Amino acid sequence: MKQVLCALLCAVALISVTASAADNETIRLGVNTAVSGAKIDRHIFGQFAEHLGRGIYEGVWVGPDSKIPNTRGIRNDVVAALKAIKVPNVRWPGGCFADEYHWRNGIGPRDKRPATLNPNWGGVIEPNTFGTHEFMDFVQQIGAEAYLSINVGSGTPAEAADWLEYLTTSQPTALAKERAANGHPEPYPVALLGIGNESWGCGGSMTPDEYVNHLKVYARYARNYNTAKPMRRVAVGPDGPDTGYTEAVMKAWKNKTWAWDIEGLSLHSYTVVKWPPAFKATGFGESEYATMLKATLNMENLVSTHSAVMDRYDPDKKIPLVVDEWGAWLAATPGSPEGFLEQQNSQRDALIAALNLNIFARHADRVRVANIAQMVNVLQAMIFTRQEKMLLTPTYHIFKMYVPFQDATLVPIELPAGAYKVGDIELPRVDAIAARDAGGKLWLSLTNLDPNRVATVDVEVAGAGIRRAVGETLVAPKIDSVNTFEAPGTVVPKPFSARASGKKLPLKLAPASVTVVALE
Ligand code: AHR
């Protein structure tokens, strides 16, 4: 089987995945520095924070009177951890929650805000103590940009238009004065605006054509008045492989009038093998490990399929594909509250994150925003909190290791990847990307999918005298190893280095590991 993954209009072969390489053969990875790929937009490392379970309340917001150290109610430990991974944007307030969210409930004095319900997620009380100003304060504290989702499902165009005016105008309108009275005279910057969420499902069960009718109205009236910060409007797009929304939205965009526009199309796709999610987050065997990795690699097909449809309407790739919900969705932690979507996070999740990020990077010309679901305490989280304690997950460590790839330029590689087989499943043994950062340094990320064998990869960089590789590797005692509050250091990156021998730089990758190195 020979499969060529192509991210540069297929002008250059980036990765040649050849499963016929002998089992224990050294794998050759050729880096072609003569060719430059697309920029890997830092926004593919975005986060998603929904009012869901302990994602916001406790996870981010503890309130100014909490004993947990905080700045204006936002926990300091979480802010510091997120700053370290250079989060480019945070999508908020949902998710399904967004299409039932009424922004006015979340402004003004906190003790006067109404208690409402969160019917999507456990039917719990939503106190509305974390609202617009608290969110904008939070993203400012972590150095990220705001990605807001407006309520199309149960809201009105007027409600969305008012929210945007409230947030972004510098003119002395009644809404701007209300914003100032609530503590923020300056207009806020809103970088991204989602026009609805999953409008084919929890966001209103609309057909593609019904949604397009709504899209045109909201895209017209939800205006950004902050000229200092351009805002990109993101239309709801496909659910998995179904191209109905992709076709309808892109066709409407191609035929758009002066009266409306969009600057992004969303794709949601989780790594979930059975529905409802039944695969365990810990205590799984090799078969479930490989099944989840195989399902993850299907992101490649999804992105290619939707990109191909988009190419027909938008050959210049003006509209990014925004993968604003992705990640592993597993069986909930036993004993956790119904609807809170709490799950442990293992070394397998670390590989799932790396494989997805590699796919987005290879499609950097089209995938320019992505948001893992979700940031804290929910689904494939970066961070867990337990009252005053905070814990970093294996997925967090991948995002930290990948910081050098933010806004780096993709460099084509050639990789006969070998095969990892278990039962009927055959996967590439190794997956990799290369990129050059703004300072000219060359970076490699390599994932050894095989949990049983060390992979030896001989790196060859044509035309560059590489002497060594220096970086980190994330390796764990077992494929289902996790970090816990009692043992937080089970899965943490370890230093990694290798020296060149002649023209070859041999890298020994531990089983089921992710390694990121700078080539010097
Ligand atoms: O991330 C959890 C939920 O998954 C989101 O609210 C929804 O958009 C998706 O179905």
Side-chain angles (χ1 to χ4, degrees):
M1 174 190 76
K2 179 140 178 164
Q3 195 187 346
V4 176
L5 305 176
C6 193
L8 295 171
L9 282 174
C10 291
V12 287
L14 293 183
I15 289 191
S16 168
V17 179
T18 310
S20 58
D23 265 9
N24 280 315
E25 207 173 73
T26 297
I27 293 167
R28 182 195 162 274
L29 191 161
V31 183
N32 185 356
T33 55
V35 185
S36 271
K39 187 178 91 171
I40 302 169
D41 198 310
R42 69 193 170 93
H43 284 289
I44 71 164
F45 300 94
Q47 298 286 331
F48 173 34
E50 180 165 13
H51 286 237
L52 193 176
R54 299 183 304 121
I56 296 289
Y57 298 110
E58 188 194 312
V60 172
W61 178 257
V62 288
D65 300 331
S66 172
K67 288 197 190 102
I68 299 171
N70 69 84
T71 302
R72 294 180 294 280
I74 295 162
R75 47 191 305 164
N76 293 343
D77 51 359
V78 169
V79 166
L82 293 171
K83 271 172 101 165
I85 57 171
K86 297 191 188 301
V87 175
N89 74 78
V90 182
R91 180 171 179 255
W92 175 85
C96 296
F97 180 83
D99 279 298
E100 298 191 49
Y101 182 61
H102 300 286
W103 68 273
R104 280 203 158 277
N105 292 335
I107 58 166
R110 278 192 285 274
D111 59 353
K112 302 236 166 20
R113 296 187 195 172
T116 54
L117 284 174
N118 189 340
N120 283 293
W121 307 118
V124 296
I125 294 280
E126 165 57 54
N128 284 299
T129 42
F130 189 87
T132 299
H133 290 263
E134 290 78 13
F135 173 69
M136 297 307 286
D137 188 12
F138 167 65
V139 288
Q140 193 268 328
Q141 285 191 36
I142 66 168
E145 295 191 315
Y147 179 177
L148 298 180
S149 283
I150 51 174
N151 180 344
V152 171
S154 69
T156 64
E159 182 185 15
D162 282 354
W163 196 16
L164 268 291
E165 184 187 320
Y166 179 87
L167 281 154
T168 65
T169 189
S170 58
Q171 305 258 46
T173 67
L175 284 164
K177 287 180 185 167
E178 194 178 358
R179 184 189 69 227
N182 286 332
H184 207 275
E186 293 303 312
Y188 283 114
V190 178
L192 291 147
L193 189 78
I195 301 184
N197 170 74
E198 298 191 354
S199 302
W200 31 262
C202 65
S205 298
M206 299 176 204
T207 65
D209 290 342
E210 284 166 352
Y211 174 70
V212 164
N213 289 337
H214 283 77
L215 172 66
K216 290 175 181 171
V217 174
Y218 280 83
R220 167 100 186 125
Y221 299 117
R223 290 185 171 101
N224 171 37
Y225 297 99
N226 187 344
T227 48
K229 182 69 204 172
M231 181 186 82
R232 293 189 278 172
R233 291 157 288 185
V234 180
V236 169
D239 169 26
D242 188 336
T243 56
Y245 262 64
T246 316
E247 287 279 358
V249 172
M250 292 307 295
K251 187 172 173 196
W253 175 78
K254 172 98 176 151
N255 299 318
K256 71 182 186 304
T257 66
W258 58 270
W260 70 280
D261 207 345
I262 53 167
E263 293 82 20
L265 178 77
S266 152
L267 162 67
H268 287 186
S269 177
Y270 287 91
T271 301
V272 55
V273 177
K274 286 184 184 159
W275 194 263
F279 271 36
K280 289 190 285 180
T282 56
F284 52 82
E286 189 175 343
S287 167
E288 287 199 13
Y289 164 85
T291 305
M292 285 293 285
L293 295 195
K294 184 175 176 202
T296 299
L297 291 174
N298 191 44
M299 182 65 87
E300 168 61 36
N301 299 331
L302 285 182
V303 169
S304 297
T305 299
H306 294 293
S307 295
V309 175
M310 294 174 82
D311 284 350
R312 280 199 275 113
Y313 298 101
D314 174 28
D316 297 333
K317 300 187 191 292
K318 288 186 179 142
I319 305 289
L321 187 59
V322 174
V323 190
D324 50 11
E325 286 188 30
W326 67 271
W329 194 326
L330 301 162
T333 303
S336 60
E338 180 78 23
F340 275 30
L341 310 189
E342 294 188 4
Q343 64 190 43
Q344 246 298 1
N345 194 295
S346 69
Q347 178 71 1
R348 181 181 63 183
D349 294 276
L351 269 75
I352 287 172
L355 294 174
N356 273 305
L357 292 170
N358 292 355
I359 292 166
F360 302 152
R362 280 182 210 117
H363 288 273
D365 57 350
R366 182 64 88 178
V367 179
R368 304 202 286 272
V369 184
N371 301 75
I372 188 168
Q374 296 194 7
M375 191 172 68
V376 187
N377 290 332
V378 176
L379 296 175
Q380 190 175 346
M382 309 299 107
I383 292 170
F384 295 148
T385 62
R386 193 164 73 190
Q387 285 128 30
E388 77 290 355
K389 290 191 175 157
M390 183 191 76
L391 180 68
L392 305 177
T393 67
T395 299
Y396 174 91
H397 294 304
I398 293 298
F399 273 71
K400 182 112 187 280
M401 289 162 70
Y402 269 68
V403 164
F405 290 93
Q406 293 200 11
D407 284 343
T409 303
L410 192 68
V411 174
I413 61 171
E414 194 181 305
L415 175 66
Y420 155 52
K421 296 177 195 163
V422 53
D424 298 339
I425 298 176
E426 181 170 325
L427 302 172
R429 196 171 155 199
V430 174
D431 189 70
I433 56 166
R436 199 182 279 287
D437 70 18
K441 196 178 262 191
L442 204 50
W443 291 88
L444 269 185
S445 174
L446 306 107
T447 299
N448 179 3
L449 287 77
D450 192 325
N452 305 311
R453 290 177 298 164
V454 169
T456 304
V457 177
D458 274 351
V459 178
E460 286 177 42
V461 185
I466 299 296
R467 289 171 291 111
R468 59 180 195 148
V470 186
E472 288 183 322
T473 187
L474 193 69
V475 55
K478 296 188 289 169
I479 48 179
D480 68 340
S481 292
V482 298
N483 292 332
T484 64
F485 288 98
E486 293 69 37
T490 307
V491 188
V492 289
K494 296 178 177 56
F496 180 99
S497 63
R499 290 215 155 269
S501 151
K503 286 192 172 166
K504 286 181 191 159
L505 175 65
L507 306 181
K508 289 208 180 304
L509 310 176
S513 66
V514 181
T515 304
V516 173
V517 287
L519 302 182
E520 298 175 343

